[in-house]
Amino acid sequence: MKDTVEINQDWKDKISNHAQIGGIETSVIDNGAGRGTRIAWINTGTGLRFKVVIDRAMDIADAFYNQHSLAWLSHGGITYPQPFSDQGINWLKTFGGGLLTTCGLTHFGGPESDEFGERGLHGQISNTPAEIISIVQPDPRMGNLEMSITGIIRETKPFGPNLELKRTISATLGKSVIHIHDEVINKANTPSPHMLLYHFNFGWPLADEGTDILWKGKWYPNSGENAKIFREGNDFKKCQAPLNDHSGGGEEVVVVDIESDDQGQSVCGLSNCKIGISALIKFKKEQLPWFANWQHWGKGEYVTGLEPATNQLIGQAKARENGSLIFIEPGESKHYDLELEVLNSPVTI
């Protein structure tokens, strides 16, 4: 069904430093709007390499497979974190796109306010720096091909909520796979609301006219009867040509009760037969029961988002009202595991 990329392991007794094959390199951006932002480049040695933005919740910005970019990058690109950008739609001012932007930890969705407070678009966690607690490099001479970076990101204020996201991003020399393991812990003395969405953003050339968008499940267009793309009879699982209707804020979103296999695993992704590569995201339905597909085919702003989530795209207030809002008790933790694999062939699911 698929071809997994494997590194040529004929390096035995021929290298002095693991960086000759791959590994993790940390640095600091020294120019532009991202000046002072810590990053880590992770190279798997297979052609898959990606940039973890340490100061932006360890989200992933640039990502490449060989010469092909996988991620969509916004006009602004990486900006320095702005922790108080969670007012109204200010989140968009620092939205660099990138392969992954994390939304939450207590709210995602549009701006809202109620008796429990005011919440901006998609929450504040993606504008929060991480405290790095470990970096593990591969050591191929000793037979260890694993590498990882682990950090702690806190969404906190006095009297709550006080949530801690412990994130580990790992990879293996010779495999074109990114692993993400997140643990969200309530460090406060009162229960905390919890909402989490993984905003994967794919751009050209992986996302291109005719690229297959892969997901299965019962779907509900977020724009209802006004939907132009997500309508019965439309082929909305293929990337379109740039649309004039999507200039500016034009977009469409579908919410999906995503299917899972016998092991409880759900799969989504993109498959491009023109360039012969695919990207598959795998996650556990029990952990992330909902999924959204964002399509924005603007000229010069051409992107589709694949977004596993804990809830539908309704925000904290409506989730509280309909009883679907998750609460984490003091000392309790929630775990989330995702995998992104790049394949060197078109695939179906």
Side-chain angles (χ1 to χ4, degrees), residues 280-300:
L280 294 182
I281 301 167
K282 303 173 184 178
F283 54 96
K284 297 179 180 179
K285 170 83 170 180
E286 181 182 11
Q287 297 175 348
L288 299 162
W290 289 96
F291 170 79
N293 179 200
W294 169 50
Q295 297 188 10
H296 176 76
W297 310 122
K299 294 180 178 179

Side-chain angles (χ1 to χ4, degrees), residues 56 60-62 71-79 91-101 126 201:
R56 299 295 302 266
I60 302 173
D62 317 47
W72 170 72
L73 304 179
S74 73
H75 291 297
I78 296 172
T79 62
W91 181 89
L92 288 173
K93 294 181 179 179
T94 66
F95 179 39
L99 186 67
L100 171 64
T101 298
S126 70
N201 308 286

Side-chain angles (χ1 to χ4, degrees), residues 63-114:
F64 295 87
Y65 176 67
N66 291 337
Q67 75 271 33
H68 300 302
S69 177
L70 305 176
W72 170 72
L73 304 179
S74 73
H75 291 297
I78 296 172
T79 62
Y80 196 77
Q82 299 183 30
F84 302 104
S85 65
D86 61 334
Q87 304 288 319
I89 61 171
N90 286 345
W91 181 89
L92 288 173
K93 294 181 179 179
T94 66
F95 179 39
L99 186 67
L100 171 64
T101 298
T102 309
C103 303
L105 296 170
T106 58
H107 166 77
F108 64 76
E112 61 178 32
S113 62
D114 57 18

